[in-house]
Coordinates of all heavy atoms in Angstrom, one line a residue:
P69 N 54.9 6.7 -125.1 CA 55.9 7.7 -124.7 C 55.3 8.9 -124.0 O 55.9 9.4 -123.0 CB 56.5 8.2 -126.1 CG 56.2 7.1 -127.0 CD 55.0 6.4 -126.6
D77 N 56.8 12.4 -113.5 CA 56.5 13.4 -112.5 C 55.9 12.8 -111.2 O 55.7 13.5 -110.2 CB 55.5 14.4 -113.0 CG 56.0 15.1 -114.2 OD1 57.3 15.2 -114.3 OD2 55.2 15.5 -115.1
F82 N 56.0 5.1 -113.2 CA 56.3 4.1 -114.3 C 55.6 2.8 -114.0 O 55.1 2.1 -114.9 CB 57.8 3.9 -114.4 CG 58.5 5.1 -115.0 CD1 59.4 5.9 -114.2 CD2 58.4 5.4 -116.3 CE1 60.1 7.0 -114.7 CE2 59.1 6.5 -116.9 CZ 59.9 7.3 -116.1
A87 N 51.3 -0.7 -115.4 CA 50.2 -1.5 -114.9 C 48.9 -1.2 -115.8 O 48.2 -2.2 -116.2 CB 49.9 -1.2 -113.5
F93 N 45.5 -4.1 -122.1 CA 45.7 -5.3 -123.0 C 44.8 -6.4 -122.5 O 44.0 -7.0 -123.3 CB 47.1 -5.8 -123.0 CG 47.5 -6.7 -124.0 CD1 48.0 -6.3 -125.2 CD2 47.3 -8.1 -123.8 CE1 48.3 -7.2 -126.2 CE2 47.6 -9.0 -124.8 CZ 48.1 -8.6 -126.0
H113 N 23.8 -11.1 -134.4 CA 24.8 -10.7 -135.3 C 26.1 -11.6 -135.2 O 27.2 -11.1 -135.0 CB 25.2 -9.2 -135.0 CG 24.0 -8.3 -135.0 ND1 23.2 -8.1 -136.0 CD2 23.5 -7.6 -133.9 CE1 22.2 -7.3 -135.7 NE2 22.4 -7.0 -134.4
S118 N 34.3 -9.6 -133.0 CA 34.4 -8.8 -131.8 C 35.3 -7.7 -131.8 O 35.2 -6.7 -131.1 CB 34.7 -9.8 -130.6 OG 35.8 -10.5 -130.9
H130 N 40.9 7.1 -126.7 CA 41.9 7.9 -127.4 C 41.3 9.3 -127.8 O 41.9 10.4 -127.6 CB 42.3 7.2 -128.7 CG 43.4 7.8 -129.4 ND1 43.7 7.6 -130.7 CD2 44.4 8.7 -129.0 CE1 44.8 8.3 -131.1 NE2 45.2 9.0 -130.0
D134 N 42.2 13.3 -126.7 CA 42.4 14.4 -127.7 C 41.5 15.7 -127.3 O 42.0 16.8 -127.3 CB 41.9 14.0 -129.1 CG 42.9 13.1 -129.8 OD1 44.1 13.1 -129.3 OD2 42.6 12.4 -130.7
D145 N 45.6 29.6 -124.4 CA 45.6 30.7 -125.4 C 44.7 30.2 -126.6 O 44.8 29.1 -127.0 CB 47.0 30.9 -125.9 CG 47.1 32.0 -126.9 OD1 46.9 33.2 -126.6 OD2 47.4 31.7 -128.1
A155 N 46.1 20.3 -135.5 CA 47.1 19.2 -135.4 C 46.4 17.9 -135.2 O 46.7 16.9 -135.8 CB 48.1 19.5 -134.3
V156 N 45.4 17.9 -134.3 CA 44.6 16.7 -134.0 C 43.9 16.2 -135.3 O 43.8 15.0 -135.6 CB 43.6 16.9 -132.9 CG1 42.7 15.8 -132.7 CG2 44.4 17.2 -131.6
E160 N 44.4 12.7 -137.1 CA 43.3 11.7 -136.9 C 42.7 11.2 -138.3 O 42.1 10.1 -138.3 CB 42.1 12.3 -136.1 CG 42.4 12.4 -134.6 CD 42.5 11.0 -134.0 OE1 41.6 10.1 -134.2 OE2 43.6 10.7 -133.4
D167 N 40.3 3.0 -139.0 CA 39.4 2.5 -138.0 C 38.1 2.1 -138.6 O 37.5 1.0 -138.3 CB 39.2 3.5 -136.9 CG 40.4 3.6 -135.9 OD1 41.3 2.7 -136.0 OD2 40.4 4.6 -135.2
V193 N 34.4 15.5 -127.5 CA 33.6 16.6 -126.9 C 33.5 16.5 -125.4 O 33.6 17.4 -124.6 CB 32.2 16.7 -127.5 CG1 31.3 17.8 -126.9 CG2 32.3 16.8 -129.0
I197 N 34.9 19.1 -122.5 CA 34.1 19.7 -121.5 C 34.7 19.4 -120.1 O 34.8 20.3 -119.2 CB 32.6 19.2 -121.6 CG1 32.0 19.7 -122.9 CG2 31.8 19.7 -120.4 CD1 30.6 19.1 -123.1
F202 N 37.6 20.6 -115.2 CA 38.4 19.8 -114.2 C 39.8 19.6 -114.7 O 40.4 18.6 -114.3 CB 37.7 18.5 -113.9 CG 36.3 18.6 -113.5 CD1 35.3 18.2 -114.4 CD2 36.0 19.0 -112.2 CE1 34.0 18.3 -114.0 CE2 34.7 19.1 -111.8 CZ 33.6 18.7 -112.7
S215 N 47.9 5.1 -121.3 CA 48.5 3.7 -121.1 C 47.4 2.7 -121.4 O 47.7 1.7 -122.1 CB 49.1 3.5 -119.8 OG 50.4 4.1 -119.7
C226 N 47.7 -6.9 -132.5 CA 48.5 -8.1 -132.5 C 47.6 -9.4 -132.3 O 47.9 -10.4 -132.9 CB 49.4 -8.1 -131.3 SG 50.6 -6.7 -131.4
D228 N 44.1 -9.6 -132.9 CA 43.0 -9.7 -133.7 C 43.3 -9.5 -135.2 O 42.9 -10.4 -136.1 CB 41.9 -8.7 -133.3 CG 41.1 -9.1 -132.1 OD1 41.0 -10.3 -131.9 OD2 40.8 -8.2 -131.3
V248 N 51.7 -2.3 -143.7 CA 51.8 -2.1 -142.3 C 52.8 -1.1 -142.0 O 52.6 -0.1 -141.2 CB 52.1 -3.4 -141.5 CG1 52.5 -3.1 -140.1 CG2 51.0 -4.4 -141.6
I249 N 54.0 -1.2 -142.6 CA 55.1 -0.2 -142.4 C 54.7 1.2 -142.9 O 54.9 2.2 -142.2 CB 56.4 -0.7 -143.2 CG1 56.9 -2.0 -142.6 CG2 57.5 0.4 -143.1 CD1 57.2 -2.0 -141.2
Y266 N 51.1 19.8 -130.9 CA 50.2 18.8 -130.3 C 50.4 18.6 -128.9 O 49.7 18.0 -128.1 CB 50.4 17.5 -131.1 CG 49.3 16.5 -130.8 CD1 48.0 16.8 -130.7 CD2 49.6 15.1 -130.7 CE1 47.0 15.9 -130.5 CE2 48.7 14.2 -130.5 CZ 47.4 14.5 -130.4 OH 46.4 13.6 -130.2

Side-chain angles (χ1 to χ4, degrees):
D77 299 332
F82 290 109
F93 193 95
H113 309 295
S118 51
H130 190 199
D134 285 342
D145 180 71
V156 171
E160 282 298 305
D167 286 346
V193 179
I197 294 172
F202 305 107
S215 280
C226 298
D228 285 327
V248 170
I249 298 300
Y266 193 41

